[in-house]
C-alpha cells in the first residue's frame, strides 16, 4: 500500500513542479490569440472554459485505456506502479503537453501537419494514415468492450449493442462539438474519476485486500518479460500517441495558451492516477488467484464488473455502467472525430457543411465497425504499438521545436528515444510481430534506436 501511495503523491506533485517547468520551457503566452477565436467556425473551433476543456480532454484520452491497460499491466506486479508513475511524468505528460501546445501554436493543426512542419513532409502521409487507423482501432476496441459488458448485464446479444453504440458514434462525430461533447462529456469525466476514487477507497479500507509493495517476489502472473511487454500493455496510463490525435480537438477550443498545462499536462497526470488506482485494485482483488492471468488474453470488462459489484455492491454496478460503458463510448466517438478532422486536413476538405463531414465519416465508420469482429486482445496490442509510433514522432517533433527556440531539447528527446526503443523491441519479438528471440530483438532495437538518434541529431541540431 505504501508503494502505491508514494507513487500517487509523486504524480500529483509532478503537475506543480515538472509541469510548471515544462510550461516555462515551452514559452506559453497568454496574450496570443488562440485558434478558438482566430478560426471560430461553429463546428470544431469554438471557445470553451478551462474546466470544460479539461474534463472533455480527460474523457477523450481516458475511456477504457487507463482501466483495461492497467488491469492487464497488473500481471507484471508492482513494476506496473513504477512504469505508470515515471512514464506519465517524463514521457506521457510531456508528450501530451507539447502535442496540444504545438497544435495551438499552429492554428489547431492535426499531428500530421505538425510533424510535417518540424520533421519534414516525407512522413506526413504515413502519420496521417497511422492516426486515422488508430482512431478506427480505438472506436472498434472501446465499442466491443462496452458492448460485451452491456450484453453480460442484460443477457442480450453483443452485436445488437455494437450497432446501437455505432449509431451514437455516428451522430456525435458529425455534429458540432458543443451539441453533445461540450454538454455531457464534463459530467461523465467527473463520474469516471469518482468511480476510480470509490473503488480504490474500498480496497484501501477493506482489511481483506492487500496492495503489494515493490518486491522481487510480488504478484506476477505472466511469463512475458517486463521489457517490452509491460510498456506496451499499459499504454494510455503512461504514454499514448492516441492522445496527440485528441489534442487538436481541444486545442481548437481553448481560450488561453496558459490553459495548456492544466488541460494537457494535467489531464495526463490524472489519467496516470486513474491507471495507478486500477492496477492496484486488480493486484489486490485478484492476488493469488488465476483469474487475473485470463485478463491478458480477453476483454477485461467482465472482470471490471466483478470487482465493482463485489467492492461496492449496487453502487458498483452503476459505476461500472458509467466507467466501462458510457466513458469508453464517449472516447470512441472522439477518436472517430479526430480521424475525420485529420482526413479533412489531409484532403483539404472544409467541414462546415454536414455533407462534407458525411463523406469522410461514413468510410471510417464502416472500417471501424468491421473490426469489431476481430479478436479484442489482438486489436488492443496493435493499437498500443501503433500509438507508440505516433508518440515517438510527436516527441521528435517537439524536440525540433525546442531546438529552434534554443531551449533544452533533451527533455523531449530522451522520451522519444525511450519510445523508439520500446516500439522496436516489441514489434521484433511479439507474437503479432516478427517473433525474434528476445536477446536478438533487444540488441537490434538498441542499434536501430541509436542510429535514428544519431541521424536526428546530425540533421536538426546542426540546423
Amino acid at each position: 500500500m505504501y508503494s502505491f501511495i508514494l507513487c500517487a503523491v509523486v504524480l500529483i506533485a509532478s503537475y506543480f513542479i515538472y509541469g510548471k517547468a515544462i510550461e516555462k520551457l515551452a514559452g506559453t503566452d497568454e496574450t496570443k490569440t488562440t485558434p478558438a477565436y482566430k478560426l471560430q467556425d461553429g463546428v470544431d473551433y469554438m471557445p470553451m472554459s478551462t474546466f470544460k476543456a479539461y474534463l472533455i480532454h480527460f474523457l477523450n484520452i481516458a475511456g477504457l485505456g487507463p482501466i483495461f491497460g492497467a488491469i492487464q499491466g497488473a500481471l507484471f506486479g508492482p513494476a506496473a506502479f513504477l512504469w505508470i508513475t515515471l512514464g506519465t511524468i517524463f514521457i506521457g505528460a510531456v508528450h501530451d503537453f507539447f502535442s496540444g501546445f504545438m497544435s495551438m501554436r499552429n492554428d489547431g493543426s492535426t499531428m500530421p501537419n505538425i510533424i510535417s512542419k518540424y520533421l519534414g513532409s516525407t512522413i506526413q502521409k504515413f502519420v496521417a494514415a497511422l492516426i486515422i487507423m488508430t482512431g478506427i482501432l480505438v472506436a472498434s476496441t472501446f465499442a466491443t468492450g462496452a458492448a460485451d459488458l452491456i450484453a453480460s448485464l442484460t443477457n442480450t446479444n453483443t452485436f445488437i449493442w455494437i450497432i446501437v453504440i455505432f449509431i451514437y458514434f455516428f451522430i456525435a462525430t458529425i455534429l458540432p462539438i458543443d451539441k453533445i461533447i461540450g454538454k455531457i462529456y464534463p459530467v461523465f469525466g467527473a463520474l469516471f474519476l469518482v468511480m476510480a476514487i470509490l473503488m480504490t477507497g474500498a480496497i484501501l479500507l477493506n482489511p481483506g485486500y492487500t496492495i503489494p509493495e515493490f518486491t522481487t517476489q510480488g504478484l506476477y502472473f505472466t511469463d512475458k518479460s517486463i521489457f517490452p511487454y509491460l510498456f506496451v500493455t499499459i499504454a494510455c496510463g503512461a504514454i499514448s500517441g492516441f492522445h496527440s490525435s485528441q489534442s487538436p480537438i481541444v486545442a481548437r477550443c481553448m481560450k488561453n495558451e496558459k490553459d495548456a498545462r492544466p488541460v494537457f499536462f494535467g489531464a495526463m497526470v490524472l489519467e496516470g492516477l486513474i491507471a495507478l488506482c486500477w492496477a492496484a485494485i486488480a493486484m489486490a482483488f485478484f492476488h493469488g488467484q488465476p483469474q487475473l492471468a485470463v485478463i491478458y488474453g480477453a476483454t477485461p470488462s467482465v472482470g471490471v464488473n466483478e470487482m465493482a459489484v463485489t467492492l461496492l455492491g449496487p453502487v458498483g454496478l452503476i459505476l461500472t455502467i458509467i466507467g466501462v460503458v458510457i466513458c469508453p463510448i464517449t472516447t470512441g466517438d472522439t477518436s472517430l472525430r479526430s480521424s475525420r478532422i485529420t482526413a479533412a486536413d489531409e484532403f483539404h476538405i472544409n467541414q462546415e457543411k454536414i455533407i462534407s463531414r458525411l463523406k469522410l465519416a461514413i468510410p471510417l465508420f464502416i472500417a471501424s465497425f468491421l473490426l469489431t469482429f476481430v479478436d479484442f486482445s489482438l486489436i488492443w496490442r496493435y493499437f498500443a504499438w501503433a500509438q507508440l509510433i505516433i508518440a515517438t514522432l510527436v516527441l521528435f517533433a517537439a524536440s525540433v521545436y525546442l531546438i529552434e527556440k534554443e531551449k533544452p531539447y533533451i527533455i523531449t528527446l530522451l522520451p522519444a528515444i525511450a519510445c523508439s526503443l520500446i516500439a522496436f523491441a516489441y514489434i521484433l519479438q511479439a507474437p503479432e510481430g516478427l517473433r525474434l528471440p528476445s536477446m536478438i530483438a533487444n540488441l537490434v532495437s538498441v542499434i536501430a534506436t541509436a542510429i535514428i538518434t544519431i541521424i536526428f541529431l546530425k540533421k536538426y541540431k546542426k540546423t
Side-chain angles (χ1 to χ4, degrees):
M1 180 176 71
Y2 297 108
S3 300
F4 164 75
I5 294 174
L6 175 62
C7 287
V9 170
V10 170
L11 272 173
I12 295 170
S14 72
Y15 170 78
F16 299 98
I17 301 172
Y18 200 58
K20 189 69 175 178
I22 294 294
E23 178 184 55
K24 184 177 180 181
L25 185 70
T28 56
D29 185 353
E30 60 185 353
T31 65
K32 283 185 175 293
T33 303
T34 63
Y37 293 109
K38 183 179 178 182
L39 300 171
Q40 188 169 351
D41 63 0
V43 179
D44 294 316
Y45 290 87
M46 300 181 71
M48 287 186 180
S49 67
T50 306
F51 183 67
K52 182 177 284 190
Y54 172 79
L55 286 177
I56 289 174
H57 185 62
F58 167 66
L59 198 56
N60 285 357
I61 66 175
L64 291 178
I67 298 178
F68 282 16
I71 291 175
Q72 292 172 317
L75 287 163
F76 297 90
F81 293 159
L82 282 178
W83 167 234
I84 291 170
T85 303
L86 299 179
T88 294
I89 297 170
F90 297 108
I91 306 180
V94 173
H95 162 273
D96 285 21
F97 177 89
F98 277 101
S99 66
F101 179 70
M102 290 190 297
S103 180
M104 289 180 70
R105 278 287 173 93
N106 290 276
D107 294 335
S109 289
T110 51
M111 284 307 106
N113 289 330
I114 298 294
I115 290 171
S116 174
K117 176 177 180 178
Y118 294 106
L119 297 180
S121 58
T122 305
I123 59 173
Q124 180 178 358
K125 299 299 181 185
F126 167 74
V127 175
L130 202 58
I131 286 178
I132 292 171
M133 180 185 72
T134 300
I136 291 171
L137 288 172
V138 168
S140 175
T141 304
F142 285 11
T144 302
D148 280 343
L149 182 56
I150 300 174
S152 70
L153 293 174
T154 59
N155 198 29
T156 53
N157 190 285
T158 301
F159 182 71
I160 294 174
W161 290 108
I162 288 177
I163 293 176
V164 172
I165 291 169
F166 268 89
I167 290 173
Y168 164 77
F169 279 177
F170 191 77
I171 294 171
T173 301
I174 62 174
L175 287 178
I177 193 167
D178 66 328
K179 298 302 181 185
I180 294 180
I181 294 174
K183 287 183 170 63
I184 66 173
Y185 274 37
V187 177
F188 289 140
L191 291 174
F192 186 73
L193 176 60
V194 169
M195 179 187 183
I197 293 173
L198 290 179
M199 290 283 287
T200 306
I203 286 288
L204 292 175
L205 297 176
N206 192 325
Y209 298 104
T210 302
I211 300 174
E213 306 294 349
F214 296 126
T215 171
T216 56
Q217 297 179 355
L219 186 66
Y220 201 85
F221 281 143
T222 178
D223 58 354
K224 295 183 179 296
S225 60
I226 287 179
F227 181 85
Y229 292 100
L230 168 62
F231 303 96
V232 177
T233 301
I234 302 181
C236 294
I239 171 62
S240 177
F242 169 67
H243 297 183
S244 64
S245 71
Q246 301 299 292
S247 295
I249 294 176
V250 176
R252 298 179 179 198
C253 301
M254 290 168 62
K255 296 180 177 180
N256 195 308
E257 281 194 359
K258 286 292 184 181
D259 292 341
R261 179 165 69 105
V263 172
F264 298 117
F265 196 100
M268 182 61 227
V269 168
L270 182 57
E271 181 167 12
L273 284 167
I274 298 292
L276 192 69
C277 289
W278 278 102
I281 292 165
M283 289 180 208
F285 191 85
F286 289 108
H287 185 56
Q289 300 180 33
Q291 291 97 314
L292 184 60
V294 179
I295 293 175
Y296 188 84
T299 305
S301 58
V302 177
V304 174
N305 180 53
E306 180 185 344
M307 287 187 280
V309 173
T310 302
L311 293 172
L312 300 174
V315 175
L317 179 60
I318 296 171
L319 291 175
T320 298
I321 293 172
I322 294 171
V324 190
V325 176
I326 296 176
C327 291
I329 290 174
T330 54
T331 299
D333 66 44
T334 50
S335 70
L336 288 170
R337 190 182 192 92
S338 70
S339 293
R340 172 179 65 78
I341 66 175
T342 299
D345 279 8
E346 288 304 302
F347 295 110
H348 307 288
I349 300 174
N350 187 286
Q351 295 290 279
E352 289 188 31
K353 294 183 178 180
I354 193 168
I355 188 67
S356 300
R357 283 172 257 157
L358 288 172
K359 287 179 181 178
L360 295 176
I362 290 173
L364 296 174
F365 277 82
I366 292 174
S368 184
F369 180 77
L370 292 175
L371 281 172
T372 61
F373 297 97
V374 180
D375 176 62
F376 172 88
S377 61
L378 182 64
I379 294 178
W380 181 269
R381 291 194 291 272
Y382 274 125
F383 153 67
W385 182 77
Q387 59 76 28
L388 195 59
I389 299 296
I390 297 170
T392 302
L393 293 171
V394 171
L395 286 165
F396 274 123
S399 299
V400 176
Y401 170 82
L402 291 176
I403 289 172
E404 290 179 353
K405 298 293 182 181
E406 297 183 345
K407 300 287 187 178
Y409 60 91
I410 198 72
I411 214 160
T412 50
L413 181 59
L414 285 180
I417 293 171
C419 288
S420 300
L421 184 63
I422 296 167
F424 276 124
Y426 183 81
I427 202 63
L428 288 175
Q429 62 187 278
E432 53 272 12
L434 299 181
R435 302 186 180 186
L436 295 177
S438 59
M439 185 175 295
I440 295 175
N442 291 339
L443 178 61
V444 173
S445 301
V446 171
I447 294 172
T449 302
I451 291 172
I452 288 175
T453 304
I454 291 169
I455 292 173
F456 175 85
L457 290 172
K458 286 186 69 175
K459 180 176 181 179
Y460 295 103
K461 188 63 175 72
K462 186 182 294 185
T463 303

